[in-house]
Amino acid sequence: MRTSGQLMWRTVGLLSVLSFLLFAAGFVFALEPRQLASGPVAEPAEHANPAPPAPGEGIRHVVALGDSLTRGTGDANGLGYVGHVRQALEKQTGHPVTLTNLAINGQESSGLVGQLSQPQVQKLLTQADLILFTIGGNDLFKQSGGVYRVDNDKLAAAVKGLAANYEQILRHIRELNDSAPIVYAALYNPFGDTDAAADTVKPVLDWNSDAAAIAARYPRVIVVPTYDLFVHKEKTYLYTDHFHPNGAGYARIAERIMQALQ
């Protein structure tokens, strides 16, 4: 027979257990308030990150400047690297891209400086979403004394003048258009497999280094290397004039530019 004392202790023990259970439940609810909901609880929606735009998504008008390399001389298909870039942009974005090619065969850097003062050229540049250009090959090699002869004094003077004009070109383009990427395709050495190789490798590499250093002073200017695309591959990727790229050579330059834009 249970005594009143035993009943009292049993009652106290039962109340203690109930208190602990209530405390524990409250602790769980505090950690996870969704347990208090009366119905199914929807998980919080995850914030989906928007997919990054395709490379070149905002590019609808390309303006190209410079010399015969931008003109596409040597490409039997007439595309040149700018034509290949245009096709790649249209394929990636799914929208048409307008190309205005203002390059001039044989143009040197001083000629491009003068061209940038023309009102129509300036207007086109202000409207461009991407600006491509090549310059410098004629500056260096027209002053070399011939295709296979190099006049080092003339070459040194040509490099100095090219650097000054190149910086003026970048500054003027950037003043006309402060947002469009500017892509400069650096020089390769078309004489790498000739007797002039020893005299031309260093000037070309030095110029490419100078061009990159000058470009670094301006926003959204990309210097795309091309030297390695042709070294020891001159017979494969140069045109029969042994100066300009052929169609395959231009395609390689365009691929490198598209990689840089990404």
Side-chain angles (χ1 to χ4, degrees):
M1 183 172 180
R2 295 172 183 170
T3 66
S4 59
Q6 289 176 324
L7 290 174
M8 179 184 70
W9 283 113
R10 288 180 181 273
T11 303
V12 170
L14 181 59
L15 291 174
S16 298
V17 172
L18 291 174
S19 298
F20 173 79
L21 292 175
L22 288 172
F23 171 79
F27 185 72
V28 170
F29 293 152
L31 289 178
E32 185 54 83
R34 289 180 299 175
Q35 299 293 338
L36 296 173
S38 58
V41 179
E43 294 291 331
E46 295 183 3
H47 297 286
N49 293 323
E57 182 64 36
I59 298 175
R60 294 181 178 273
H61 184 196
V62 177
V63 173
L65 300 161
D67 50 28
S68 55
L69 295 180
T70 296
R71 197 74 245 170
T73 300
D75 186 350
N77 295 318
L79 289 174
Y81 78 88
V82 293
H84 284 289
V85 168
R86 177 191 185 181
Q87 288 184 347
L89 288 171
E90 290 183 335
K91 181 178 180 180
Q92 286 188 352
T93 63
H95 61 64
V97 174
T98 300
L99 170 62
T100 304
N101 195 335
L102 302 173
I104 300 171
N105 287 337
Q107 180 153 254
E108 297 182 27
S109 60
S110 57
L112 181 51
V113 170
Q115 190 180 14
L116 292 177
S117 65
Q118 299 173 13
Q120 183 59 27
V121 173
Q122 293 180 353
K123 181 180 179 181
L124 289 167
L125 286 171
T126 61
Q127 299 169 347
D129 301 312
L130 173 65
I131 299 163
L132 307 172
F133 80 106
T134 56
I135 206 70
N138 294 314
D139 293 67
L140 299 188
F141 299 121
K142 277 188 176 181
Q143 307 301 326
S144 67
V147 173
Y148 300 110
R149 300 190 313 275
V150 175
D151 185 320
N152 290 321
D153 291 337
K154 287 184 177 180
L155 189 57
V159 170
K160 184 177 180 180
L162 172 58
N165 290 334
Y166 174 81
E167 179 147 22
Q168 190 172 347
I169 290 164
L170 290 180
R171 182 171 61 249
H172 201 167
I173 294 175
R174 196 78 290 167
E175 288 171 351
L176 292 168
N177 188 321
D178 63 0
S179 60
I182 301 171
V183 176
Y184 172 70
L187 299 184
Y188 58 88
N189 184 12
F191 310 128
D193 62 345
T194 72
D195 293 339
D199 294 320
T200 55
V201 169
K202 187 177 187 303
V204 171
L205 291 177
D206 285 350
W207 163 246
N208 287 340
S209 178
D210 291 345
I214 294 170
R217 303 170 193 165
Y218 298 87
R220 291 173 296 284
V221 177
I222 305 170
V223 175
V224 175
T226 66
Y227 187 93
D228 63 301
L229 299 179
F230 295 87
V231 67
H232 303 314
K233 306 179 187 75
E234 293 85 357
K235 289 182 173 59
T236 302
Y237 294 117
L238 288 181
Y239 183 55
T240 54
D241 63 2
H242 208 283
F243 189 83
H244 297 92
N246 56 24
Y250 280 120
R252 285 169 66 80
I253 294 174
E255 182 180 4
R256 181 66 60 81
I257 289 173
M258 291 303 300
Q259 291 171 349
L261 288 174
Q262 295 178 21

Coordinates of all heavy atoms in Angstrom, one line a residue, residues 32-89:
E32 N 14.7 25.9 -34.3 CA 14.0 25.6 -35.5 C 12.6 26.0 -35.4 O 11.7 25.3 -35.2 CB 14.1 24.1 -35.9 CG 13.6 23.8 -37.3 CD 14.2 24.6 -38.3 OE1 15.3 24.3 -38.8 OE2 13.5 25.7 -38.7
P33 N 12.3 27.3 -35.6 CA 10.9 27.8 -35.4 C 9.9 27.2 -36.4 O 8.7 27.3 -36.1 CB 11.1 29.3 -35.6 CG 12.4 29.5 -36.3 CD 13.3 28.4 -35.9
R34 N 10.4 26.6 -37.5 CA 9.5 26.1 -38.4 C 8.7 24.9 -37.8 O 7.7 24.5 -38.3 CB 10.2 25.6 -39.7 CG 10.7 26.7 -40.6 CD 11.5 26.2 -41.8 NE 12.6 25.4 -41.4 CZ 13.4 24.8 -42.3 NH1 13.0 24.8 -43.5 NH2 14.4 24.1 -41.9
Q35 N 9.2 24.3 -36.7 CA 8.5 23.2 -36.1 C 7.2 23.7 -35.5 O 6.3 22.8 -35.2 CB 9.4 22.6 -34.9 CG 10.7 22.1 -35.4 CD 10.5 20.9 -36.3 OE1 9.5 20.2 -36.2 NE2 11.5 20.5 -37.1
L36 N 7.0 24.9 -35.3 CA 5.7 25.5 -34.7 C 4.6 25.6 -35.8 O 3.5 25.8 -35.5 CB 6.0 26.8 -34.1 CG 6.9 26.8 -32.9 CD1 7.2 28.3 -32.5 CD2 6.2 26.1 -31.7
A37 N 5.0 25.5 -37.1 CA 4.0 25.7 -38.1 C 3.0 24.5 -38.1 O 3.3 23.4 -37.8 CB 4.7 25.7 -39.5
S38 N 1.8 24.9 -38.4 CA 0.7 23.9 -38.4 C 0.6 23.0 -39.6 O 0.0 22.0 -39.6 CB -0.7 24.6 -38.2 OG -0.9 25.5 -39.2
G39 N 1.2 23.5 -40.7 CA 1.1 22.7 -42.0 C 2.4 22.5 -42.6 O 3.5 22.8 -42.0
P40 N 2.5 22.0 -43.8 CA 3.7 21.8 -44.5 C 4.5 23.1 -44.6 O 3.9 24.2 -44.9 CB 3.3 21.3 -45.9 CG 1.9 20.8 -45.7 CD 1.3 21.6 -44.6
V41 N 5.8 23.1 -44.4 CA 6.6 24.3 -44.4 C 7.4 24.3 -45.7 O 8.1 23.4 -46.1 CB 7.5 24.3 -43.2 CG1 8.4 25.6 -43.3 CG2 6.7 24.3 -41.9
A42 N 7.2 25.4 -46.5 CA 7.9 25.5 -47.7 C 9.4 25.9 -47.4 O 9.6 26.8 -46.6 CB 7.3 26.6 -48.6
E43 N 10.3 25.3 -48.1 CA 11.7 25.6 -47.9 C 11.9 27.0 -48.6 O 11.3 27.4 -49.5 CB 12.6 24.6 -48.7 CG 12.5 23.2 -48.1 CD 13.2 23.2 -46.7 OE1 14.1 24.0 -46.5 OE2 12.8 22.4 -45.9
P44 N 12.8 27.8 -48.0 CA 13.1 29.1 -48.5 C 13.6 29.0 -49.9 O 14.5 28.1 -50.2 CB 14.1 29.7 -47.6 CG 14.7 28.6 -46.9 CD 13.7 27.5 -46.8
A45 N 13.1 29.8 -50.8 CA 13.6 29.8 -52.2 C 15.0 30.2 -52.3 O 15.4 31.2 -51.7 CB 12.7 30.7 -53.1
E46 N 15.8 29.5 -53.0 CA 17.2 29.8 -53.2 C 17.3 30.9 -54.2 O 16.6 30.9 -55.2 CB 18.0 28.6 -53.6 CG 18.1 27.5 -52.6 CD 19.0 26.4 -53.1 OE1 19.5 26.5 -54.2 OE2 19.1 25.4 -52.3
H47 N 18.2 31.9 -54.0 CA 18.4 33.0 -54.9 C 19.2 32.5 -56.1 O 20.4 32.3 -55.9 CB 19.0 34.2 -54.3 CG 18.2 34.7 -53.2 ND1 17.0 35.5 -53.4 CD2 18.3 34.7 -51.8 CE1 16.5 35.9 -52.3 NE2 17.2 35.4 -51.3
A48 N 18.6 32.3 -57.2 CA 19.4 31.7 -58.4 C 20.3 32.8 -58.9 O 19.8 34.0 -59.1 CB 18.4 31.3 -59.4
N49 N 21.5 32.5 -59.2 CA 22.4 33.4 -59.8 C 22.1 33.5 -61.3 O 22.0 32.5 -61.9 CB 23.9 33.0 -59.6 CG 24.3 33.0 -58.1 OD1 23.9 33.9 -57.4 ND2 25.1 32.1 -57.7
P50 N 22.0 34.7 -61.8 CA 21.7 34.9 -63.2 C 22.9 34.3 -64.0 O 24.0 34.5 -63.6 CB 21.5 36.4 -63.4 CG 22.3 37.0 -62.2 CD 22.1 36.0 -61.1
A51 N 22.5 33.7 -65.1 CA 23.6 33.1 -66.0 C 24.4 34.3 -66.5 O 23.9 35.3 -66.9 CB 22.9 32.4 -67.1
P52 N 25.7 34.1 -66.6 CA 26.5 35.2 -67.1 C 26.3 35.4 -68.6 O 25.9 34.4 -69.3 CB 28.0 34.7 -66.9 CG 27.8 33.2 -66.8 CD 26.5 33.0 -66.2
P53 N 26.3 36.6 -69.1 CA 26.1 36.9 -70.5 C 27.1 36.2 -71.4 O 28.2 36.0 -71.0 CB 26.2 38.4 -70.6 CG 27.0 38.8 -69.5 CD 26.7 37.8 -68.4
A54 N 26.7 35.8 -72.5 CA 27.6 35.2 -73.5 C 28.7 36.2 -73.9 O 28.4 37.4 -73.9 CB 26.8 34.7 -74.7
P55 N 29.9 35.7 -74.1 CA 30.9 36.6 -74.5 C 30.5 37.4 -75.7 O 30.0 36.8 -76.7 CB 32.1 35.7 -74.8 CG 31.8 34.5 -74.0 CD 30.3 34.3 -74.0
G56 N 30.6 38.7 -75.7 CA 30.3 39.6 -76.8 C 28.8 39.9 -76.9 O 28.3 40.4 -77.9
E57 N 28.0 39.6 -75.8 CA 26.6 39.7 -75.9 C 26.2 41.2 -76.2 O 25.2 41.4 -77.0 CB 26.0 39.4 -74.5 CG 24.5 39.5 -74.4 CD 23.8 38.5 -75.4 OE1 24.3 37.4 -75.5 OE2 22.8 38.8 -75.9
G58 N 26.9 42.1 -75.8 CA 26.6 43.5 -76.0 C 27.2 44.1 -77.3 O 27.1 45.3 -77.6
I59 N 27.9 43.3 -78.0 CA 28.7 43.8 -79.2 C 27.8 43.6 -80.4 O 27.5 42.5 -80.9 CB 30.0 43.0 -79.4 CG1 30.9 43.2 -78.2 CG2 30.7 43.4 -80.7 CD1 32.2 42.4 -78.2
R60 N 27.4 44.7 -81.0 CA 26.6 44.7 -82.2 C 27.3 45.5 -83.4 O 26.9 45.4 -84.5 CB 25.2 45.3 -82.0 CG 24.4 44.4 -81.0 CD 23.0 44.9 -80.8 NE 22.2 44.0 -79.9 CZ 21.5 43.0 -80.3 NH1 21.5 42.7 -81.6 NH2 20.9 42.2 -79.5
H61 N 28.3 46.3 -83.0 CA 29.0 47.1 -84.0 C 30.5 47.1 -83.8 O 30.9 47.5 -82.7 CB 28.5 48.6 -84.1 CG 29.1 49.4 -85.2 ND1 29.0 50.8 -85.2 CD2 29.7 49.0 -86.3 CE1 29.7 51.2 -86.3 NE2 30.1 50.1 -87.0
V62 N 31.2 46.5 -84.7 CA 32.6 46.4 -84.6 C 33.3 47.3 -85.6 O 32.9 47.4 -86.8 CB 33.1 45.0 -84.9 CG1 34.7 44.9 -84.8 CG2 32.5 44.0 -83.9
V63 N 34.2 48.1 -85.1 CA 35.0 49.0 -86.0 C 36.4 48.5 -86.0 O 37.0 48.3 -84.9 CB 34.9 50.5 -85.6 CG1 35.9 51.4 -86.4 CG2 33.5 51.0 -85.7
A64 N 37.0 48.4 -87.2 CA 38.4 47.9 -87.4 C 39.2 48.9 -88.0 O 38.8 49.6 -89.0 CB 38.4 46.6 -88.2
L65 N 40.5 49.1 -87.5 CA 41.4 50.1 -88.0 C 42.8 49.5 -88.2 O 43.1 48.4 -87.7 CB 41.5 51.2 -86.9 CG 40.3 52.0 -86.5 CD1 40.6 52.7 -85.2 CD2 39.9 53.0 -87.5
G66 N 43.6 50.2 -89.0 CA 45.0 49.8 -89.1 C 45.5 49.6 -90.5 O 45.2 50.4 -91.4
D67 N 46.2 48.5 -90.7 CA 46.9 48.3 -92.0 C 46.4 47.0 -92.7 O 45.2 46.6 -92.5 CB 48.4 48.1 -91.6 CG 48.6 47.1 -90.5 OD1 47.8 46.2 -90.4 OD2 49.7 47.2 -89.8
S68 N 47.2 46.5 -93.6 CA 46.8 45.3 -94.4 C 46.4 44.1 -93.6 O 45.6 43.3 -94.1 CB 47.8 45.0 -95.5 OG 49.1 44.8 -94.8
L69 N 46.9 44.0 -92.4 CA 46.6 42.8 -91.6 C 45.1 42.9 -91.2 O 44.4 41.8 -91.2 CB 47.5 42.7 -90.4 CG 48.9 42.5 -90.6 CD1 49.7 42.4 -89.3 CD2 49.2 41.2 -91.4
T70 N 44.6 44.0 -90.9 CA 43.2 44.2 -90.5 C 42.4 44.2 -91.8 O 41.2 43.8 -91.8 CB 43.0 45.5 -89.7 OG1 43.7 45.4 -88.5 CG2 41.5 45.8 -89.5
R71 N 43.0 44.6 -92.9 CA 42.3 44.6 -94.2 C 42.0 43.1 -94.6 O 41.1 42.8 -95.4 CB 43.1 45.3 -95.2 CG 42.4 45.7 -96.5 CD 41.5 46.9 -96.2 NE 40.1 46.5 -96.4 CZ 39.0 47.2 -96.1 NH1 39.2 48.4 -95.5 NH2 37.8 46.8 -96.3
G72 N 42.9 42.2 -94.2 CA 42.7 40.8 -94.5 C 43.5 40.3 -95.7 O 43.3 39.3 -96.3
T73 N 44.5 41.1 -96.1 CA 45.4 40.8 -97.3 C 46.0 39.4 -97.1 O 46.6 39.1 -96.0 CB 46.5 41.8 -97.5 OG1 45.9 43.1 -97.7 CG2 47.3 41.5 -98.7
G74 N 45.9 38.5 -98.1 CA 46.4 37.2 -98.0 C 45.4 36.1 -97.7 O 45.7 34.9 -97.9
D75 N 44.2 36.5 -97.3 CA 43.1 35.5 -97.1 C 42.3 35.4 -98.4 O 41.6 36.3 -98.8 CB 42.2 36.0 -95.9 CG 41.2 34.9 -95.5 OD1 41.1 33.9 -96.2 OD2 40.6 35.1 -94.5
A76 N 42.4 34.2 -99.0 CA 41.7 33.9 -100.2 C 40.2 34.1 -100.0 O 39.4 34.3 -101.0 CB 42.0 32.5 -100.7
N77 N 39.7 33.9 -98.8 CA 38.2 33.9 -98.5 C 37.8 35.4 -98.2 O 36.6 35.6 -98.1 CB 37.9 33.1 -97.3 CG 38.1 31.6 -97.6 OD1 37.8 31.1 -98.7 ND2 38.7 30.9 -96.6
G78 N 38.7 36.3 -98.1 CA 38.4 37.7 -97.9 C 37.9 38.0 -96.5 O 37.5 39.1 -96.3
L79 N 38.1 37.1 -95.6 CA 37.6 37.4 -94.2 C 38.6 38.1 -93.4 O 38.3 39.1 -92.7 CB 37.2 36.0 -93.5 CG 36.0 35.3 -94.0 CD1 35.9 33.9 -93.3 CD2 34.7 36.1 -93.8
G80 N 39.8 37.7 -93.4 CA 40.8 38.2 -92.5 C 40.4 37.9 -91.0 O 39.4 37.2 -90.8
Y81 N 41.2 38.4 -90.1 CA 40.9 38.0 -88.7 C 39.6 38.7 -88.3 O 38.8 38.2 -87.5 CB 42.1 38.4 -87.8 CG 42.2 39.8 -87.4 CD1 41.6 40.4 -86.3 CD2 43.1 40.6 -88.2 CE1 41.7 41.7 -86.0 CE2 43.2 42.0 -87.8 CZ 42.6 42.5 -86.7 OH 42.7 43.8 -86.4
V82 N 39.3 39.9 -88.8 CA 38.1 40.7 -88.4 C 36.9 39.9 -88.8 O 35.8 39.9 -88.1 CB 38.1 42.1 -88.9 CG1 39.2 42.9 -88.2 CG2 38.3 42.2 -90.4
G83 N 36.9 39.4 -90.0 CA 35.7 38.6 -90.5 C 35.5 37.4 -89.7 O 34.3 37.1 -89.4
H84 N 36.5 36.7 -89.3 CA 36.4 35.5 -88.4 C 35.9 35.9 -87.0 O 35.0 35.2 -86.5 CB 37.7 34.8 -88.3 CG 38.1 34.0 -89.4 ND1 37.5 32.8 -89.8 CD2 39.1 34.2 -90.4 CE1 38.1 32.3 -90.9 NE2 39.0 33.1 -91.2
V85 N 36.3 37.1 -86.5 CA 35.8 37.5 -85.2 C 34.3 37.9 -85.3 O 33.5 37.5 -84.4 CB 36.6 38.8 -84.7 CG1 35.9 39.4 -83.5 CG2 38.0 38.4 -84.3
R86 N 33.9 38.5 -86.4 CA 32.5 38.8 -86.6 C 31.7 37.6 -86.6 O 30.6 37.5 -85.9 CB 32.3 39.6 -87.9 CG 30.9 39.9 -88.2 CD 30.8 40.5 -89.6 NE 29.4 40.9 -89.9 CZ 29.1 41.4 -91.1 NH1 30.0 41.5 -92.1 NH2 27.8 41.7 -91.3
Q87 N 32.1 36.6 -87.4 CA 31.3 35.3 -87.5 C 31.2 34.7 -86.1 O 30.2 34.1 -85.7 CB 32.0 34.4 -88.5 CG 31.8 34.8 -89.9 CD 32.4 33.8 -90.9 OE1 33.2 32.9 -90.5 NE2 32.1 33.9 -92.1
A88 N 32.3 34.7 -85.3 CA 32.3 34.0 -84.0 C 31.4 34.7 -83.1 O 30.7 34.1 -82.3 CB 33.7 34.0 -83.4
L89 N 31.4 36.1 -83.1 CA 30.5 36.8 -82.3 C 29.0 36.6 -82.6 O 28.2 36.4 -81.7 CB 30.7 38.3 -82.4 CG 32.0 38.8 -81.8 CD1 32.3 40.3 -82.2 CD2 32.0 38.7 -80.2

